[in-house]
Amino acid sequence: MALSPSEQVAEALREFAERIDVFDPLPGPAVAEIRVGERTVPLRAPVAKAFAEALRAYQDPRDRGTCDHCGGPRLDDNFVCADCGRPSGVFGQLLQERAARYEGPAELPD
């Protein structure tokens, strides 16, 4: 049976809590509870700290930095900004220099 998206999140959080909790053998009370859908996952202090650190350290694989021109956060796979349409970074500079020197194909003889 497939889990719903909220059940998947709750299960992943529960598994994370279990994985981290084993490293702190002293029992203690939950310092936070996260409710996901109908489920509540209690977090003890070491788990809550690890969870906060994991969230802060996460970097989306689609994040390629910010545009050098407009500061927008949406660079595509070719480092072209989806907000201003200009290429960004060293790669963008190389593209602009190459495009400026491009003369087009030579005319074909008759």
Side-chain angles (χ1 to χ4, degrees), residues 50-69:
F51 185 58
E53 288 175 8
L55 289 174
R56 286 186 190 102
Y58 176 77
Q59 174 147 3
D60 192 299
R62 300 168 295 175
D63 183 357
R64 294 170 188 86
T66 57
C67 176
D68 292 339
H69 306 287

Side-chain angles (χ1 to χ4, degrees), residues 9 21 49 62 64 96:
V9 171
D21 231 2
K49 180 182 177 194
R62 300 168 295 175
R64 294 170 188 86
Q96 287 178 333

Side-chain angles (χ1 to χ4, degrees), residues 15-57:
E15 289 171 359
F16 177 84
E18 274 184 10
R19 211 170 50 244
I20 303 302
D21 231 2
V22 299
F23 296 109
D24 187 36
L26 299 176
V31 297
E33 290 182 347
I34 298 178
R35 184 174 176 88
V36 182
E38 297 297 316
R39 292 178 61 186
T40 300
V41 181
L43 305 179
R44 293 186 323 122
V47 176
K49 180 182 177 194
F51 185 58
E53 288 175 8
L55 289 174
R56 286 186 190 102

